[in-house]
């Protein structure tokens, strides 16, 4: 069982608000990822990090930003939420030398 | 274009039946993972296979990695309602520029009691 946590699990917010989705892992993994997944659809990578102070954009363009100041923490921020941001956001982490990723429970975001 | 093609996309069966789902690609992978995801939750890792031809068993689930490491199958024996979920395969390769893995779109399995 992987030790990776996401908060909040559910968030309903109005358009224009700034939000931060939290992701933390206690496994000491260098690699961390953010995916976006609409209901019944595939996962799309939006951000990833291979270590502290390293962040890159993924395959799917996103208006969100991320930071990696500490190994265990990889928060995602939306400066101004819009209804098009409504989705499930999944955080994952993986150890060096392995391609396997372990996922958190996800944050379901609804922007009204 | 999906790098990993999963089939079937949807599968609905009765409890007790056997089933096989497939994950195919034209690319060679250094590893392949299978996950199961339930609605509103994150994917949970079931298995990682790394050697061509490798077979791994997890209770009633049997996973096989193709000899050429381009495809994989998941066989479930005597399916139960608790097996219901979205089954995702993901292929890993150090060749990828911006990610370690690519995900398939998944097979959505429903097992009816």
């Amino acid at each position: 069982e992987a030790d990776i946590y996401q908060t909040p699990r559910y968030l309903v917010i109005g358009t224009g608000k700034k939000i931060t989705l939290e992701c933390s892992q206690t496994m000491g993994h260098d690699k961390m990822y953010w995916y976006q997944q609409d209901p019944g659809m595939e996962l799309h990578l939006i951000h990833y990090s291979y270590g502290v102070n390293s962040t890159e954009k993924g395959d799917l363009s996103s208006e969100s930003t991320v930071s990696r100041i500490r190994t265990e923490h990889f928060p995602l921020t939306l400066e101004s939420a819009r209804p098009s941001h409504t989705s499930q956001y999944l955080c994952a982490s993986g150890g060096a030398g392995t391609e396997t990723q372990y996922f958190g429970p996800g944050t379901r975001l609804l922007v009204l | 274009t999906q790098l990993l093609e999963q089939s079937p996309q949807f599968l609905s069966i009765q409890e007790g039946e056997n089933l096989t789902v497939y994950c195919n690609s034209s690319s060679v992978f250094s590893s392949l993972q299978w996950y199961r995801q339930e609605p509103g939750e994150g994917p949970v890792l079931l298995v990682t296979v790394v050697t061509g031809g490798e077979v791994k068993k997890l209770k009633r689930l049997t996973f096989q990695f193709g000899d050429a490491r381009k495809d994989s199958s998941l066989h479930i024996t005597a399916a139960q309602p608790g097996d219901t979920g979205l089954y995702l395969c993901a292929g890993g390769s150090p060749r990828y520029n911006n990610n370690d893995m690519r995900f398939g779109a998944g097979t959505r399995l429903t097992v009816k009691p």
Side-chain angles (χ1 to χ4, degrees):
Chain A
E1 199 72 26
D3 295 323
I4 180 164
Y5 309 98
Q6 290 186 244
T7 57
R9 289 295 315 277
Y10 305 94
L11 180 61
V12 181
I13 201 164
T15 296
K17 298 291 187 183
K18 177 180 178 179
I19 60 170
T20 297
L21 308 185
E22 302 287 349
C23 176
S24 295
Q25 49 95 6
T26 60
M27 297 170 284
H29 285 166
D30 288 325
K31 297 183 285 187
M32 296 189 74
Y33 309 85
W34 277 103
Y35 291 86
Q36 186 174 341
Q37 184 185 33
D38 292 328
M41 303 298 286
E42 62 208 82
L43 279 72
H44 292 286
L45 180 71
I46 52 175
H47 296 284
Y48 63 102
S49 167
Y50 285 161
V52 171
N53 294 325
S54 153
T55 62
E56 301 289 343
K57 291 189 179 293
D59 299 327
L60 182 68
S61 176
S62 174
E63 293 163 346
S64 59
T65 59
V66 292
S67 62
R68 190 88 183 276
I69 299 172
R70 303 198 315 265
T71 298
E72 63 271 22
H73 195 213
F74 191 39
L76 180 145
T77 298
L78 274 166
E79 291 292 332
S80 179
R82 294 208 298 268
S84 61
H85 296 138
T86 293
S87 189
Q88 176 163 255
Y89 292 84
L90 292 162
C91 180
S93 72
T98 175
E99 290 142 2
T100 301
Q101 295 179 17
Y102 298 91
F103 284 83
T107 293
R108 299 196 77 170
L109 173 65
L110 173 60
V111 184
L112 301 175
Chain B
T1 304
Q2 196 71 28
L3 182 65
L4 281 161
E5 299 285 344
Q6 290 193 244
S7 61
Q9 189 176 358
F10 300 95
L11 184 59
S12 181
I13 62 171
Q14 292 295 132
E15 182 176 3
E17 292 183 7
N18 301 332
L19 67 113
T20 302
V21 298
Y22 301 92
C23 175
N24 296 299
S25 175
S26 58
S27 298
V28 175
F29 296 107
S30 52
S31 70
L32 195 137
Q33 290 78 32
W34 283 94
Y35 295 83
R36 184 171 73 214
Q37 184 180 23
E38 299 189 17
E41 299 292 330
V44 175
L45 180 69
L46 296 174
V47 76
T48 297
V49 286
V50 297
T51 305
E54 182 177 2
V55 176
K56 281 192 174 180
K57 291 183 182 292
L58 182 65
K59 296 184 181 178
R60 295 175 293 101
L61 277 61
T62 301
F63 305 87
Q64 184 161 8
F65 201 14
D67 291 341
R69 291 185 288 129
K70 293 182 179 181
D71 53 82
S72 181
S73 63
L74 159 59
H75 181 81
I76 300 179
T77 303
Q80 298 176 0
D83 295 327
T84 293
L86 177 67
Y87 287 82
L88 295 162
C89 69
S93 172
R95 296 187 298 107
Y96 297 148
N97 292 329
N98 64 356
N99 187 21
D100 296 335
M101 291 206 301
R102 293 290 185 269
F103 282 86
T107 292
R108 190 165 297 280
L109 172 67
T110 302
V111 182
K112 301 174 186 176

